[in-house]
Amino acid sequence: MSTTLLSGRNLAKLIQQKANDEARNLETDGLRPTLAVVVATDDGSTLWYVRSIERAAESAGINCRIVDLGHDATGQVLASVLKDLSAEPTVNGIILQTPLPPGVDADALVGHIAPEKDIDGANPLSLGRLAVGQPSFAPATARAVTEILDHFDIPVAGRNVVVIGRSAVVGKPLSLLLLERDATVTVCHSRSGALEKYTKTADVVVVAAGRTGLLNGGHISSGAVVIDVGTNVLSDGSLVGDVDEASVRGIAGALTPVPGGVGSVTTSLLLLHTTEAAREQSRALVRGTAG
């Protein structure tokens, strides 16, 4: 069987163009969307990623403010900055970039991001709203998976979908997004036992566990769609996913590459979420003035 590669690069360009168009529309209305990225690390790969967000934002017509607090910032300082940014009218979207300094609890901090500016769905309120079908921003990586499925016309309604990984960043919100699309969802994790008990009968398998080679050809059925969300850096600096790509090729009907798959779409969605947040905040301001 020939395995189709589901590249995210063209989709990412389409989403970025949509963000660009919306940013231009907002600028016509006198508003330039602004994204604030809060950083407290000297990790080289993280700083490279933040710079890539900045470049992509500027090319889309979005202001990007990097708030670098240094690798020794305290939780108190981070909380204060997030509160200030949430209250600042000119800031439309906020990202708290990880990793954080040792001893700083990210879960405690993300609650300080205003839900209407929480463009990466980090605040527990955002996840709660997602769970009950209320308007909220889903984590961009989770939404990237559903965008790829839609882009390649891969249906999930009435089909068995297995999600490997239960993080609040990908696994949990993705399962909610898939349920909303009428998929039958199974979430596997470190206590699930042998993965093939679940993945062998799956039409779609999404792997988001952060473990190199976790899923191989023996885990899936012929023709299954495999979405690899993993990003693992090898000793030589190369990037691989959670899927043993060599063993899956020829068995899977379709597979997202790493790099060039889900990650390509994620950054573009952060920009689109920023423009959507700016538009909604502008409307809320008008409603408040009218009221």
Side-chain angles (χ1 to χ4, degrees):
M1 172 181 289
S2 176
T3 299
T4 301
L5 282 184
L6 308 176
S7 172
R9 298 192 189 281
N10 287 336
L11 173 58
K13 291 177 182 177
L14 291 173
I15 294 171
Q16 180 148 344
Q17 185 59 54
K18 187 175 180 181
N20 194 324
D21 293 343
E22 179 61 6
R24 281 203 303 268
N25 291 335
L26 288 163
E27 195 158 18
T28 300
D29 296 337
L31 172 64
R32 185 175 172 90
T34 297
L35 167 64
V37 183
V38 179
V39 184
T41 183
D42 56 4
D43 177 72
S45 61
T46 300
L47 296 176
W48 178 90
Y49 174 65
V50 169
R51 285 192 295 271
S52 73
I53 293 177
E54 184 178 25
R55 288 192 299 270
E58 294 297 340
S59 68
I62 297 169
N63 288 331
C64 187
R65 185 192 305 179
I66 307 301
V67 184
D68 190 345
L69 301 176
H71 68 279
D72 56 353
T74 65
Q76 185 176 6
V77 168
L78 281 157
S80 177
V81 167
L82 292 172
K83 289 176 184 177
D84 289 345
L85 291 170
S86 291
E88 188 173 333
T90 59
V91 173
N92 306 113
I94 302 170
I95 300 172
L96 175 62
Q97 185 62 48
T98 56
L100 296 174
V104 175
D105 184 3
D107 292 338
L109 289 173
V110 291
H112 297 301
I113 302 174
E116 65 271 17
K117 299 184 180 184
D118 182 26
I119 61 159
D120 203 17
N123 189 319
L125 287 174
S126 300
L127 185 59
R129 289 177 177 179
L130 186 67
V132 296
Q134 294 182 1
S136 67
F137 291 109
T141 304
R143 183 180 172 188
V145 173
T146 59
E147 291 289 335
I148 286 174
L149 293 171
D150 288 346
H151 181 69
F152 288 101
D153 295 320
I154 299 170
V156 295
R159 305 181 81 190
N160 292 325
V161 181
V162 170
V163 177
I164 303 173
R166 55 179 171 179
S167 74
V169 177
V170 184
K172 288 177 182 176
L174 176 58
S175 67
L176 294 172
L177 292 172
L178 291 167
L179 285 170
E180 195 174 82
R181 293 161 182 258
D182 298 320
T184 301
V185 183
T186 300
V187 179
C188 294
H189 45 79
S190 58
R191 297 298 182 91
S192 295
L195 289 176
E196 59 267 25
K197 291 189 299 182
Y198 310 97
T199 55
K200 271 288 191 180
T201 58
D203 301 296
V204 179
V205 180
V206 184
V207 197
R211 287 180 54 192
T212 305
L214 178 62
L215 189 86
N216 59 51
H219 288 118
I220 61 172
S221 61
S222 178
V225 174
V226 178
I227 308 293
D228 192 351
V229 185
T231 50
N232 307 289
V233 181
L234 300 181
S235 57
D236 63 359
S238 61
L239 189 68
V240 297
D242 290 350
V243 175
D244 179 3
E245 189 173 322
S247 69
V248 165
R249 281 179 178 266
I251 300 174
L255 169 69
T256 57
V258 178
V262 175
S264 303
V265 180
T266 299
T267 299
S268 296
L269 282 172
L270 289 172
L271 303 182
L272 181 61
H273 285 180
T274 301
T275 62
E276 291 172 345
R279 174 63 70 188
E280 184 53 39
Q281 288 160 38
S282 176
R283 288 171 178 162
L285 183 61
V286 170
R287 289 194 297 267
T289 304

